[in-house]
Amino acid sequence: MNIYLDCFLSFAKIGAFTIGGGYAMIPVVHKEVVEKKKWVTEEEFVDMLSVAQAIPGAWAVNIATFIGYKLRKNKGSLIAALGAILPSFLIILLIAMFFTQFQDNVWVNKAFKAIRPAVVALIAVPVFTTARQVKINAKTIIIPIAAAILISLFGVSPVYIILIAGIGGLIYGCFFDQPKKNRV
């Protein structure tokens, strides 16, 4: 199959059938691009995941753009991003056209309430998967716990958490995570 069509269809399928978007898509994207298609390695995926979350824009579009670029540069990134965007756009358009007719329907409300716990589970899975992939251990578990507490209890912006973590990682990498003969 043509790589452009394959890339478009893969991300269109992910975009069309992943309820919850964003973080709920991580295991589906991982399965498709790492395990099934082998377009990126585990390590590349974790790196792309980190950057896609840290830059502005929708996570799914960012990761699709990165993977498309890796496969076929600019044209690949455009095709992959369109694949990720188009299903959501069409679904939202249909919902916007017809939702007002169904928003007070008791069955529609019950369906949305039933979906919520599944979305929470879909978001929780990538947290644990990513923790394993980045080798979170007893020493490093304090970092995500502290970040979660700062964000949820004290209202600290995730932007500051990302900046502090990046600076901290840079300092650690430069001064503490090198063989003694290579230290600055």
Side-chain angles (χ1 to χ4, degrees):
M1 178 183 288
N2 178 327
I3 189 69
Y4 295 111
L5 180 61
D6 193 20
C7 189
F8 177 85
L9 291 176
S10 291
F11 282 103
K13 176 179 70 175
I14 291 165
F17 297 106
T18 308
I19 295 173
Y23 298 113
M25 297 175 106
I26 293 172
V28 180
V29 174
H30 180 271
K31 187 171 197 73
E32 184 75 11
V33 303
V34 176
E35 297 173 20
K36 186 177 171 189
K37 303 286 185 180
K38 299 190 185 317
W39 287 336
V40 295
T41 65
E42 287 282 343
E43 201 169 276
E44 289 173 320
F45 184 76
V46 171
D47 290 343
M48 288 180 180
L49 176 66
S50 300
V51 175
Q53 292 174 353
I55 61 175
W59 176 86
V61 176
N62 293 344
I63 199 82
T65 303
F66 289 150
I67 291 168
Y69 187 83
K70 182 179 189 279
L71 295 175
R72 291 291 189 267
K73 303 295 180 212
N74 291 336
K75 191 173 178 183
S77 65
L78 179 64
I79 297 291
L82 281 173
I85 294 167
L86 197 57
S88 299
F89 172 76
L90 294 174
I91 291 168
I92 300 255
L93 183 62
L94 288 172
I95 289 171
M97 290 170 51
F98 299 108
F99 186 71
T100 56
Q101 298 170 10
F102 299 104
Q103 69 186 10
D104 295 326
N105 183 304
V106 68
W107 295 105
V108 171
N109 286 328
K110 286 182 180 188
F112 280 122
K113 285 182 182 174
I115 290 172
R116 288 180 190 149
V119 171
V120 170
L122 289 171
I123 292 170
V125 167
V127 169
F128 296 112
T129 303
T130 305
R132 270 197 316 267
Q133 289 172 347
V134 299
K135 297 175 177 79
I136 295 287
N137 57 37
K139 288 181 182 178
T140 58
I141 191 71
I142 190 71
I143 297 168
I145 290 172
I149 290 170
L150 288 170
I151 292 168
S152 64
L153 296 181
F154 297 104
V156 175
S157 170
V159 172
Y160 295 126
I161 302 295
I162 292 168
L163 287 173
I164 292 167
I167 292 167
L170 183 64
I171 291 168
Y172 180 80
C174 287
F175 296 105
F176 301 106
D177 194 31
Q178 297 179 359
K180 288 184 180 182
K181 65 180 183 178
N182 292 338
R183 285 197 181 160
V184 176

